[in-house]
Amino acid sequence: MDTLTDTAALADFCARAAEHDYVTVDTEFLRERTYYAKLCLVQLAYPGEGEETAVLVDPLAEGMSLAPMLDLFRNPDVVKVFHAARQDLEIFFVEHGVFPEPLFDTQVAAMVCGFGEQVGYETLVRKIARESLDKTSRFTDWSHRPLSKAQKKYALADVTHLRVIYEYLAAAIDKTGRRAWVEEELQGLLDPEIYVVDPDEAWRRVKTRTNSGKFLSTVRALARFRETFAQGRNIPRSRVFKDDALLELASTKPQSVQDLGRSRLLLREARRGEIAEGILAAVAEGQATEPEDYPEIDRSREKLQVNTALADLLRVLLKAKSEDAGVASRMIASAADLDAMAAGEMTVQALKGWRAQVFGQDALRLCDGKIALTTQGSKVRIVEL
């Protein structure tokens, strides 16, 4: 099995791939010890038989440039096929500023085709390709060289079986006229904002139990410092301090290194040096924040008066509609969407695009009292009022 370790060989493969309608793509990476994912391997395959149609690309090889592959990613005539693409897309966007387009994600397509919630690659290999996967190499160290035969076999299987899965799902969505549904979902994966963490907004990721403005100001300052420090040194944010330690610091409001020494949750490395200085400065900043500069909290959902009976009816309707359409219910509407609709909020995602066709229009009619629900055998039926 071929592993490409020089740019010329990669360029040759990409030139051959560009002659086909699609190329399947997967990556292996490490993230346990870094803030940004470390790309260790790229797997590529185009349609056809023979070993030359699928390769492993070693981005760690000396002198290797991924430029030919990035050009292929930009080629509008070749569909780039992934499974559960989000983490792969993050790597290519953050490292190279490139989104592979046009994009096809078999996990998204499988949910549209009735394979259930967040269906895994192994399930699709078993159900569509009628093959099995050896997953023993899944959690190995992909940065170590040389790669073992087992690692290479596992990695190639991620793109060779994907060809069969893609062709099956692409035909299925075209047959049902749902191509636009899938494309609408994929546009969300191509939004640069979801792959870049703004340190000023990092506090929103921290779960707190209080809405105190002063407390949240300190949480915001601590989260901003942690994110900036982790990004600048390319280390996991948990290596700076974890969320539970951040909340402890926001509560205890340490003012000196001696105060930091009394923390129960702070790592030893964070009690001195640059991290300790950053923590103390962040706490002081948070405590000095004026009320008009407190973090703004979205309390719109807190004010909703949810009609619980209507919310339950919407859940029944959603289940019936998702079964009729063969689409995973969570893909159509979340529990929060249903509660919002039952409280009169009509700006939820479930009322837009293809979701409105499948569920949203009848959901609105149910909310307006224009239809009722009944059962016929094991099926839920709509009754016009």
Side-chain angles (χ1 to χ4, degrees):
M1 50 190 78
D2 204 4
T3 301
L4 306 185
T5 57
D6 67 84
T7 308
L10 176 59
D12 179 65
F13 178 86
C14 290
R16 285 183 277 123
E19 298 174 358
H20 297 270
D21 293 335
Y22 71 86
V23 60
T24 54
V25 189
D26 191 37
T27 67
E28 306 299 339
F29 56 88
L30 295 178
R31 200 168 197 165
E32 290 79 10
R33 298 185 294 273
T34 56
Y35 182 92
Y36 300 105
K38 178 182 180 180
L39 182 62
C40 299
L41 194 68
V42 183
Q43 303 97 281
L44 301 169
Y46 56 77
E49 301 293 333
E51 291 186 359
E52 74 280 358
T53 65
V55 295
L56 306 177
V57 180
D58 187 356
L60 303 182
E62 185 176 355
M64 168 63 87
S65 168
L66 298 181
M69 184 184 72
L70 301 177
D71 288 340
L72 179 64
F73 285 176
R74 297 184 186 98
N75 188 330
D77 298 321
V78 182
V79 177
K80 272 61 73 171
V81 181
F82 294 78
H83 180 83
R86 179 164 177 159
Q87 291 188 85
D88 303 309
L89 297 181
E90 179 182 357
I91 291 172
F92 295 128
F93 177 73
V94 171
E95 284 195 15
H96 304 287
V98 172
F99 281 128
E101 294 185 79
L103 172 70
F104 190 96
D105 188 325
T106 54
Q107 185 176 71
V108 173
M111 292 172 71
V112 169
C113 291
F115 281 86
E117 313 277 357
Q118 302 293 324
V119 60
Y121 181 64
E122 184 182 17
T123 299
L124 296 183
V125 170
R126 186 176 68 253
K127 291 186 176 182
I128 296 176
R130 304 296 181 184
E131 298 282 355
S132 60
L133 288 178
D134 180 1
K135 300 175 67 175
T136 54
S137 297
R138 182 179 181 184
F139 296 111
T140 54
D141 184 351
W142 291 98
S143 67
H144 182 74
R145 296 294 184 269
L147 296 172
S148 68
K149 288 184 178 180
Q151 284 178 305
K152 292 181 178 181
K153 182 180 179 181
Y154 168 85
L156 276 178
D158 279 347
V159 286
T160 52
H161 296 319
L162 193 55
R163 296 181 294 200
V164 178
I165 294 168
Y166 165 68
E167 291 179 5
Y168 176 94
L169 292 174
I173 63 173
D174 285 340
K175 183 178 180 180
T176 56
R178 296 179 178 179
R179 172 74 62 169
W181 298 14
V182 175
E183 291 178 353
E184 185 179 326
E185 293 306 297
L186 294 180
Q187 283 306 306
L189 290 173
L190 300 175
D191 180 1
E193 290 189 6
I194 68 176
Y195 301 109
V196 178
V197 179
D198 180 355
D200 288 334
E201 297 297 316
W203 68 277
R204 298 185 188 277
R205 304 163 63 103
V206 182
K207 295 181 180 179
T208 64
R209 295 183 179 181
T210 176
N211 290 330
S212 162
K214 185 75 74 175
F215 179 82
L216 290 178
S217 295
T218 307
V219 168
R220 179 176 62 185
L222 285 165
R224 182 194 299 119
F225 162 70
R226 178 177 67 174
E227 208 71 27
T228 302
F229 192 91
Q231 289 178 352
R233 288 156 181 78
N234 195 22
I235 59 174
R237 61 177 66 89
S238 60
R239 285 267 304 277
V240 186
F241 46 82
K242 297 181 180 180
D243 282 2
D244 55 359
L246 187 154
L247 295 174
E248 179 191 48
L249 293 168
S251 297
T252 58
K253 303 180 285 294
Q255 298 181 28
S256 66
V257 172
Q258 288 73 25
D259 291 341
L260 292 179
R262 301 187 186 97
S263 169
R264 294 184 303 110
L265 302 173
L266 201 59
L267 297 173
R268 184 177 301 172
E269 294 79 7
R271 302 183 188 201
R272 58 180 182 270
E274 290 181 287
I275 298 179
E277 292 172 5
I279 289 173
L280 295 175
V283 169
E285 175 190 338
Q287 290 300 297
T289 303
E290 298 295 334
E292 60 268 22
D293 295 322
Y294 287 165
E296 294 184 7
I297 305 169
D298 181 6
R299 289 191 169 92
S300 58
R301 291 295 175 94
E302 296 177 7
K303 300 175 183 177
L304 294 179
Q305 299 296 315
V306 178
N307 181 330
T308 55
L310 179 55
D312 289 341
L313 286 174
L314 286 169
R315 285 170 170 77
V316 173
L317 178 65
L318 175 61
K319 185 174 186 300
K321 289 290 186 177
S322 66
E323 289 176 353
D324 288 345
V327 180
S329 60
R330 194 173 72 177
M331 192 173 187
I332 300 172
S334 66
D337 284 344
L338 300 181
D339 286 342
M341 292 174 65
E345 175 60 56
M346 297 303 163
T347 61
V348 298
Q349 196 69 20
L351 299 176
K352 302 173 184 177
W354 66 268
R355 293 175 174 82
Q357 301 173 35
V358 175
F359 168 73
Q361 292 171 1
D362 280 333
L364 285 177
R365 295 205 297 153
L366 181 64
C367 291
D368 292 339
K370 295 178 179 178
I371 61 172
L373 304 179
T374 186
T375 58
Q376 183 177 350
S378 60
K379 294 287 188 179
V380 173
R381 301 297 183 191
I382 291 175
V383 178
E384 300 286 343
L385 298 179

